[in-house]
Amino acid sequence: MSDETKPGDGAPIAAEYVLGVLSAAERRAVQARIAREPALRAEIEYWEQRLGPLASELEPVDPPPRVWAKIDAALVADARQSTLWQNLPFWRWAAIGSAAFAAASLAFVYFARIPSPNVPLVANLEKSDGGAGFVVAIESGGGGLTVVPAALSDVNQRALELWLIAPGEQPRSLGLIEAARAVHVSVPADLIRRVTPQSTLAVSLEPLGGSPTGLPTGPVIASGKLTKL
Amino acid sequence: MDGPQSSHMQNSEAMDAPVTTTTTLEQDAARKQLAAALTRIAGGDRHALKLVYRDTSAKLFAVCHRILQDKGEAEDVLQDVYITVWQRAGAFDPNRASPISWLVAIARNRSIDRLRSRPPAARQRTIEEAAEISDGAPTALLQLEISEEHRRLMDCLEDLEPQHAGAIRSAFFEGTTYDELAQRNSVPLGTMKSWIRRSLLRLRECLEQ
């Protein structure tokens, strides 16, 4: 096809996924790709928006009140029991706060060295099921990241490795991170210029000690785009 | 043209089609309100989630129930849908997505994943039950509040072969797989795949016009 770059024009898999005709295994395969392939995600969003209005043909059905009661209870329990560590809205703001703090404390150095000011970045790494995975605050200049788990991940004797994926490039390792603790990651000097809003961060499950090959070998459990504050 | 005259013309145009204009304005206001509530949820506002639930849960429950054909399971999935909305509202972009289509997509995805996770025996029973449910036209009442996007989609669906459009509707409303659609329509799997793929291509062309 001549115009494959336009949303909706790509492989039929995105449309088939949204329509709902794929098998369980095919759906899982698409869901695993969504995190890593922004073009596929855009295709899927295109079809979700195009087909979504069909749902207005259904006669609304009021759910029983117990459904809201359970949702409300889950949110209250979330706020009370789980510490702020697991509360994504908190961390989203905390990430912005700490990145802003980092930006402020580094402002003098950066403004002195770099002619154009750098905008701090944040990333919400979502799990493939849509749940929150990690929140990442990127220091102004891209030299360091703070990675905070937003939910408990089941790592089961494996390591979590953080990857930086620039458009059209292979994933580059940023090192290992922790499932239950915030960590600071230093970005190698040769990768700093790839820390831009066009890049994606992803977390994969690897053998203890990290990927032996230098590329992700296990499943990607969370990923997200870098966004400017 | 001077100011007062142009405003007079707008008034008389509005009077020609008062129902359509009002409906569109109301839809637009509702959409903006919903988008604003999603943005507040992203900031951790629980009250905003309650508002979104109040305004959309009956619609999303209908979506889940139609796919799952089981009230208890639909309730479980609906609960999961709003917890997902709570966690993911930050990913909603009002410039790129309609809030209701964004919510419907979450409800459909969760319901279809749940449907696919059922043991094969349970699935077969559902297929037989679902085959008896018609994929009929929207009710008269709902016709009144049809959005422009929906009207366009309906026009484009009408351009397809009726049997093909029926398969598209079954898949959308019930999450029917290629295999099940082929069985129901008594055609080979390959034929069904080419019906659906061709229909999707034609739909896209039609919607892009």
Side-chain angles (χ1 to χ4, degrees), chain A:
Chain A
M1 290 203 189
S2 58
D3 51 354
E4 265 184 351
T5 52
K6 220 169 70 182
D9 265 0
I13 192 83
E16 292 173 315
Y17 174 77
V18 175
L19 185 60
V21 288
L22 299 181
S23 68
E26 288 165 330
R27 286 181 65 80
R28 275 195 300 273
V30 171
Q31 286 161 353
R33 285 173 58 197
I34 290 174
R36 273 169 294 177
E37 297 178 33
L40 179 68
R41 184 191 284 225
E43 256 323 272
I44 287 173
E45 285 171 359
Y46 170 92
W47 281 104
E48 284 173 348
Q49 291 296 314
R50 292 308 172 124
L51 297 178
L54 261 187
S56 57
E57 293 184 15
L58 292 173
E59 198 87 59
V61 183
D62 281 323
R66 61 176 169 268
V67 178
W68 172 255
K70 282 187 201 164
I71 295 167
D72 202 31
L75 299 189
V76 170
D78 185 51
R80 198 171 39 210
Q81 277 173 18
S82 70
T83 63
L84 287 169
W85 289 90
Q86 284 150 272
N87 182 322
L88 180 58
F90 172 79
W91 277 109
R92 189 176 291 132
W93 295 109
I96 289 167
S98 64
F101 176 76
S105 59
L106 293 172
F108 174 74
V109 179
Y110 279 96
F111 285 134
R113 281 185 184 173
I114 301 170
S116 62
N118 274 283
V119 182
L121 302 167
V122 290
N124 292 317
L125 309 191
E126 290 183 347
K127 294 183 178 180
S128 54
D129 67 3
F134 299 86
V135 177
V136 184
I138 295 107
E139 288 170 11
S140 188
L145 319 174
T146 302
V147 186
V148 181
L152 294 173
S153 298
D154 180 17
V155 292
N156 192 22
Q157 292 297 307
R158 285 193 285 178
L160 292 174
E161 193 156 0
L162 182 67
W163 303 89
L164 176 67
I165 308 159
E169 290 190 30
Q170 292 208 316
R172 306 284 293 264
S173 177
L174 293 176
L176 300 183
I177 58 169
E178 301 267 354
R181 191 166 74 80
V183 291
H184 184 267
V185 175
S186 294
V187 178
D190 61 319
L191 294 183
I192 288 180
R193 65 179 180 79
R194 293 182 172 83
V195 181
T196 69
Q198 284 77 46
S199 293
T200 298
L201 287 171
V203 175
S204 69
L205 275 179
E206 300 294 345
L208 292 177
S211 163
T213 66
L215 284 173
T217 59
V220 170
I221 61 160
S223 75
K225 282 275 223 200
L226 303 182
T227 47
K228 281 185 187 171
L229 280 181

Side-chain angles (χ1 to χ4, degrees), chain B residues 19-77:
Chain B
V19 174
T20 316
T21 309
T22 312
T23 308
T24 308
L25 282 176
E26 277 170 5
Q27 281 168 349
D28 199 43
R31 177 182 163 141
K32 281 191 180 133
Q33 214 175 354
L34 197 51
L38 288 174
T39 309
R40 281 165 52 207
I41 294 171
D45 182 343
R46 256 165 53 199
H47 184 65
L49 184 72
K50 190 167 189 177
L51 292 180
V52 170
Y53 184 86
R54 186 196 67 193
D55 291 347
T56 61
S57 58
K59 183 168 201 154
L60 299 193
F61 190 50
V63 168
C64 298
H65 189 250
R66 182 70 180 269
I67 290 171
L68 292 162
Q69 301 291 322
D70 180 291
K71 202 156 174 253
E73 272 191 292
E75 286 180 31
D76 284 354
V77 170

